[in-house]
Amino acid sequence: MPPHCSICDLREVCFPCDLMLQGTGHGNPMVISDRRIKQGETLFRAGDDFHYLYTVRSGFFKTVQTLEDGREQVTGFQMSGDMLGADAIGPHFHGCTAVALEDSRVCAILYSHIDSLGDTMPELQHRLHMAMSSEIVREHSVMLLLGMMTAKERVAVFLLNLSQRLKARGYSPTEFVLRMTRRDVGSYLGLKLETVSRMISKFRDDGLVSAAQRHIRVLDLAGLKRCIKQVEN
Amino acid sequence: MPPHCSICDLREVCFPCDLMLQGTGHGNPMVISDRRIKQGETLFRAGDDFHYLYTVRSGFFKTVQTLEDGREQVTGFQMSGDMLGADAIGPHFHGCTAVALEDSRVCAILYSHIDSLGDTMPELQHRLHMAMSSEIVREHSVMLLLGMMTAKERVAVFLLNLSQRLKARGYSPTEFVLRMTRRDVGSYLGLKLETVSRMISKFRDDGLVSAAQRHIRVLDLAGLKRCIKQVEN
DNA sequence: CGTCCAGTTGACCTCCATCAAAAAGTGTGG
DNA sequence: CCACACTTTTTGATGGAGGTCAACTGGACG
């Protein structure tokens, strides 16, 4: 497993950072880096035993939660630096399925080692806390979105958030390709795919974005932001 | 601060359990137990500096998240044993406000000590992970509720979930008093208070519950469960 | 006893879901 | 390279679940 954290592009955003370099001393390397997942394949499935936390090295994932009756919802989209699998620490098995939306690479970190390494690497523990806490914060904002926002606002928030995250990773915040279908976007936002399509068309008609299928160009960032918060409650 | 974890009723559900007994060795007690919060008062407010994680000893809280434009949503209800404040670990300040819905008591645990105590108490770290992970799981299920369920299903899920949690704490699962207003319930479920009221009235008309204001008696648990999953998607 | 807030219920309306059809894109095998 | 099948996206027409507005009821409390 060639690439180690010290030379990883994600040192700044990946939660274990380069703390893992020295391994565990148990004879096993703590990080399995550069596991590859092809587009459409799963990193883990709901119900799988929990052993590893993952961080995305490159590529794009969605996590899907399923209800007993078969209904399912996308609970998140993960890109480079994002953590996957933390919801499995409590129950000891994965509650959602992680699907690669393009060919991707991940690092896998053996959780049992993180959990028992507080003594030698207190900083590592703290970073895991930070990552999990951030996930809770993110989910609170999704709850606000799902509970309080109109369809137009939801799609605007989605695009702005994606733009923001791409920018933070050095990509263009104004021109990008969606890796997920309208159905996935709708599922994440609590909308039907037709509604997502309509809202994007509306943004196009209003001159806020230019959109051809999954290729999005944001023309008026401020205008998109103005689409939010125009509802009173 | 008289009551210590070893004699606490919540040993089984409270995440730090009785691991805290010995204090930190820094001269400060690690746990401030039995802090009292009166009905209507806040334990912390959005924007407050983060120092303590809390667990509810007795009473009932709601957490409220606010959007820039003033819209706000209830993101959770917490009862004995539940943790409060974990969303502040990452940002170092609280993102939501915790309001006591009845006179309540909490334990406060100094986070900086948890964070630096991995060496002496690895089990404590793991329990914090578990608690945070469980919160993520819970929020995933709320996302499903907000994104996929009808008003009737949401209210049924809410009542069943409350019943379940009360039962786990030794209270009657079929007869209880809501500590929150219809507006709070609606905010949590992404519904208007009138809709919540209508759904409860409907359950009453269907003989599933008897409800007089906040006093709820569940008459047909199985019937309530059947209200869920009758939607196809 | 009057005030105030929470809760209930009704009438109406709006936003988004649903259903449908066509267009555009993608992949596969001949 | 093209034909064909299949998926994704767009757009229109219609309907329904839940929001909005309003009136009324009933406890709680001074």
Side-chain angles (χ1 to χ4, degrees):
Chain A
M1 48 216 71
H4 259 314
C5 294
S6 62
I7 56 158
C8 176
D9 290 340
L10 301 173
R11 275 198 309 284
E12 301 303 317
V13 288
C14 178
F15 87 87
C17 191
D18 48 7
L19 294 167
M20 317 294 265
L21 276 177
Q22 55 258 52
T24 66
H26 292 89
N28 293 326
M30 190 160 167
V31 179
I32 299 174
S33 56
D34 217 25
R35 183 169 150 195
R36 286 152 195 273
I37 315 288
K38 280 205 197 312
Q39 179 173 11
E41 292 182 350
T42 61
L43 177 57
F44 52 78
R45 294 178 162 279
D48 283 357
D49 281 352
F50 170 62
H51 299 294
Y52 294 99
L53 287 174
Y54 302 92
T55 60
V56 181
R57 282 179 60 81
S58 69
F60 206 94
F61 286 84
K62 67 174 175 181
T63 45
V64 180
Q65 193 96 2
T66 307
L67 223 50
E68 312 80 59
D69 58 0
R71 277 182 284 182
E72 57 179 45
Q73 181 173 30
V74 173
T75 52
F77 297 107
Q78 293 78 25
M79 47 205 295
S80 58
D82 292 338
M83 179 174 61
L84 277 162
D87 63 331
I89 295 175
H92 298 299
F93 57 86
H94 288 282
C96 59
T97 301
V99 182
L101 294 179
E102 60 181 334
D103 292 358
S104 302
R105 292 150 62 203
V106 301
C107 282
I109 303 120
L110 195 55
Y111 175 72
S112 58
H113 286 185
I114 297 184
D115 202 35
S116 61
L117 269 187
D119 47 347
T120 60
M121 302 181 179
E123 177 65 8
L124 176 61
Q125 297 267 1
H126 183 59
R127 296 208 186 181
L128 174 60
H129 297 170
M130 301 269 283
M132 292 179 75
S133 175
S134 299
E135 188 157 341
I136 292 172
V137 170
R138 184 187 68 77
E139 287 177 4
H140 280 175
S141 72
V142 174
M143 285 171 63
L144 263 164
L145 178 144
L146 291 172
M148 314 270 309
M149 290 190 174
T150 64
K152 186 176 171 185
E153 286 181 294
R154 295 184 201 194
V155 177
V157 167
F158 173 77
L159 291 175
L160 287 168
N161 180 44
L162 198 56
S163 164
Q164 178 64 37
R165 291 166 74 193
L166 288 166
K167 185 178 176 184
R169 284 162 178 78
Y171 300 108
S172 167
T174 55
E175 189 163 5
F176 46 86
V177 174
L178 299 179
R179 309 257 92 115
M180 71 294 278
T181 66
R182 298 283 188 271
R183 182 182 299 277
D184 285 334
V185 176
S187 173
Y188 179 63
L189 297 177
L191 301 171
K192 293 296 162 182
L193 65 96
E194 295 95 326
T195 305
V196 174
S197 179
R198 271 184 244 275
M199 293 306 143
I200 291 177
S201 296
K202 180 145 182 45
F203 291 148
R204 182 166 20 73
D205 297 347
D206 294 350
L208 300 177
V209 305
S210 88
Q213 265 81 246
R214 301 197 186 173
H215 192 106
I216 303 282
R217 185 195 300 238
V218 178
L219 302 174
D220 183 357
L221 212 73
L224 261 188
K225 284 177 184 161
R226 260 181 272 117
C227 289
I228 313 172
K229 75 161 62 171
Q230 66 195 20
V231 178
E232 201 41 64
N233 199 342
Chain B
M1 46 215 73
H4 257 316
C5 294
S6 62
I7 57 158
C8 176
D9 290 341
L10 302 174
R11 274 198 309 285
E12 301 302 317
V13 287
C14 178
F15 87 87
C17 191
D18 48 7
L19 295 166
M20 317 293 267
L21 275 176
Q22 54 257 52
T24 65
H26 293 91
N28 293 325
M30 189 158 167
V31 178
I32 299 173
S33 54
D34 218 25
R35 182 168 151 196
R36 285 152 196 273
I37 316 289
K38 281 207 195 309
Q39 179 172 10
E41 292 182 351
T42 60
L43 177 58
F44 52 78
R45 294 179 162 277
D48 283 357
D49 280 352
F50 170 62
H51 298 294
Y52 295 98
L53 286 174
Y54 302 93
T55 59
V56 182
R57 281 180 61 82
S58 69
F60 206 94
F61 286 85
K62 66 173 175 181
T63 45
V64 180
Q65 194 95 4
T66 307
L67 223 49
E68 312 81 59
D69 58 359
R71 277 181 285 181
E72 57 178 46
Q73 181 173 32
V74 174
T75 52
F77 297 107
Q78 293 79 24
M79 45 204 296
S80 58
D82 291 339
M83 178 174 61
L84 276 161
D87 63 332
I89 295 176
H92 297 300
F93 57 87
H94 289 281
C96 59
T97 300
V99 183
L101 295 179
E102 61 180 333
D103 292 357
S104 302
R105 292 151 61 204
V106 302
C107 282
I109 303 121
L110 195 56
Y111 175 71
S112 58
H113 287 184
I114 297 184
D115 201 35
S116 61
L117 269 187
D119 47 345
T120 60
M121 303 180 176
E123 177 65 8
L124 177 62
Q125 297 268 2
H126 183 59
R127 295 206 188 184
L128 175 59
H129 297 170
M130 301 270 282
M132 293 180 75
S133 175
S134 299
E135 189 157 341
I136 292 172
V137 170
R138 184 188 66 78
E139 288 178 4
H140 279 174
S141 72
V142 175
M143 285 172 63
L144 262 164
L145 178 144
L146 291 172
M148 314 272 306
M149 289 189 173
T150 64
K152 187 176 172 188
E153 286 181 294
R154 295 184 201 194
V155 177
V157 167
F158 173 77
L159 291 175
L160 287 168
N161 180 44
L162 198 57
S163 164
Q164 177 64 37
R165 292 166 73 193
L166 289 166
K167 186 178 177 185
R169 283 160 180 79
Y171 300 107
S172 167
T174 55
E175 190 163 4
F176 47 86
V177 175
L178 299 180
R179 308 257 92 115
M180 71 296 278
T181 66
R182 298 283 188 271
R183 182 181 300 276
D184 285 334
V185 176
S187 174
Y188 180 62
L189 298 177
L191 301 171
K192 293 296 161 182
L193 65 95
E194 294 95 328
T195 305
V196 174
S197 179
R198 270 184 246 273
M199 293 305 143
I200 292 177
S201 296
K202 179 143 183 47
F203 291 148
R204 182 165 22 70
D205 297 347
D206 295 349
L208 301 178
V209 305
S210 88
Q213 268 80 248
R214 301 199 185 173
H215 192 106
I216 303 282
R217 186 195 299 239
V218 178
L219 302 174
D220 183 357
L221 212 72
L224 260 189
K225 285 177 184 162
R226 259 180 273 116
C227 290
I228 313 172
K229 73 161 64 175
Q230 67 197 15
V231 178
E232 200 42 62
N233 199 343

